[in-house]
Amino acid sequence: MILITGATGFLGRNLCEHLIGRGCRLRALARPTGDTAFLKALGMEIAGGDVRDVDSVRAAIAGCDTVIHAAARFRLWGPPELFEDINLWGTRNMLATAYVLEVKRFIHISTIIVVGPQ
């Protein structure tokens, strides 16, 4: 099982469609406010939660051998604290939990815009 964060975003949606087409079993960690209809239509399992919440991260990763972490806050505006909470501490939560749960492969996908408005 592969866990994907950021699956409701542009990159994540396309990645999920590609991996499902290759026969992979996928689970998405998605915020309760995220539009997961597309992912459900692909047959994906949805784990509700947020990268900032260690308990939901742990529940989402449990049973997965691979994590693809593509979730991020990216905008040209907004409070720097929100970028730090999601992009730094959220990624730390994902990495630390994947390590504790002995995930075999962790892939992090990012972009320069996640540094926020500087």
Side-chain angles (χ1 to χ4, degrees):
M1 173 76 72
I2 300 171
L3 174 71
I4 300 183
T5 68
T8 60
F10 176 76
L11 175 90
R13 289 171 60 103
N14 286 286
L15 179 60
C16 290
E17 191 170 29
H18 174 76
L19 292 173
I20 289 286
R22 292 176 143 287
C24 297
R25 290 181 40 235
L26 304 181
R27 177 184 300 155
L29 173 62
R31 290 172 295 158
T33 58
D35 181 3
T36 59
F38 174 79
L39 303 175
K40 289 177 184 174
L42 288 175
M44 289 181 59
E45 184 180 323
I46 308 299
D50 190 300
V51 297
R52 296 171 290 179
D53 176 58
V54 176
D55 291 334
S56 66
V57 166
R58 177 179 280 279
I61 292 177
C64 294
D65 59 0
T66 300
V67 171
I68 302 175
H69 178 50
R73 169 89 178 163
F74 66 98
R75 298 281 184 274
L76 295 175
W77 61 89
E81 299 80 17
L82 189 55
F83 286 85
E84 186 176 310
D85 284 349
I86 296 168
N87 301 340
L88 175 64
W89 300 114
T91 299
R92 182 187 179 279
N93 288 342
M94 293 299 301
L95 280 167
T97 304
Y99 179 78
V100 168
L101 295 179
E102 299 180 351
V103 168
K104 292 181 177 132
R105 179 176 290 165
F106 189 100
I107 301 166
H108 181 228
I109 302 170
S110 191
T111 175
I112 194 164
I113 200 71
V114 301
V115 298
Q118 302 298 329

